[in-house]
Amino acid sequence: MKLTYRVEEGTRLGSLLWEFGPGWRMISSAMLGGGIGTRAWVLNAQVVAGYARMDPAEHLRSLGPDGDGVGMMTAASVDRYARAADGGVEAVATVGLRVPTWAAAPEGAEDPELAPMRAGTVNIVTVLPVPMTDAALVNTVMTVTEAKTQALIEAGFPCTGTASDAVCVAVPVAVPAAGTPEVFGGPRSEWGARVARAVHRAVRRGAEAWRPRHST
C-alpha cells in the first residue's frame, strides 16, 4: 500500500494505492471496477468536501494505474487510515463519520450527506491469502459490513455506517495447485472469522481516532 498526495481545487488530497498485479480477483461496491472480476489494483482517493463532479468513475481512472482496478473515494483524510490483521487477513479502513446514518431510515427522510458530499464515508479494503468462490466473496462482503457496524456502535456512534460507504475484498485467483477455493465467508467460518476480527479492529480504531478531531 502506498500513500501519495496531489492538489485539486487548491486542496492537498491523499490517495492510498494497492498494486497487486496479475492473479487477483476482487469484489467491490466501488464506482470504478465494482462487481466481481480480476483486478490489478485498488485506489482509495480523497476528494474535496462538497465534491460535485459528474464523472467520478472517469476521475478515479485518471488517478489510478493502467489496467483494470477498483477505485473508491471519500472526503475523509485517507492518511489517517487504520490498519489491522488477523491470521493472514489484512484490513485497512478510512473512517469519516460527519453524518452517521442508519441503513433503514423512514421513507423521505433527508440525509445531509448526500448533497453535497461531506467529510464522511467508511471505506474498507480487505485482503485474504486464499481464493474464494463467488458466493464466498459475497458472504465475505456481508461479514465486512457486519463487523464494521459492530465496531461503529461499540465506538459510540449510533449508526450502521454512512450513506456512501464502500468495500473491496481481494483474494488470489484459484489455481489447481492451491486446491479448492474457500466456499464460506461468514463470520463463523475460518476465514470469515479472521476477516471480521481484522475489520472490526481497523474500523473501531478509525472511529475512535476520528471523534477527537471532529467533536464540537
Side-chain angles (χ1 to χ4, degrees), residues 1 16-21 24-45 60 68-73 82 84 89-94 121-129 132 136-145 148 164-172 195-196 198-199 202-203:
M1 183 181 69
L16 295 175
L17 176 65
W18 290 256
E19 294 187 272
F20 292 91
W24 287 83
R25 297 177 71 234
M26 301 182 193
I27 181 170
S28 180
S29 62
M31 288 179 287
L32 175 65
I36 299 177
T38 56
R39 308 284 188 264
W41 50 268
V42 179
L43 177 72
N44 187 10
L60 286 164
D68 293 327
V70 169
M72 55 184 72
M73 57 177 53
V89 173
E90 182 176 61
V92 176
T94 54
T121 305
V122 180
N123 286 345
I124 304 170
V125 176
T126 307
V127 184
L128 291 83
M132 291 183 136
L137 285 172
V138 174
N139 205 179
T140 301
V141 170
M142 293 171 59
T143 297
V144 168
T145 305
K148 173 199 72 174
S164 53
D165 293 354
V167 62
C168 179
V169 175
V171 301
V195 166
V199 169
V203 173

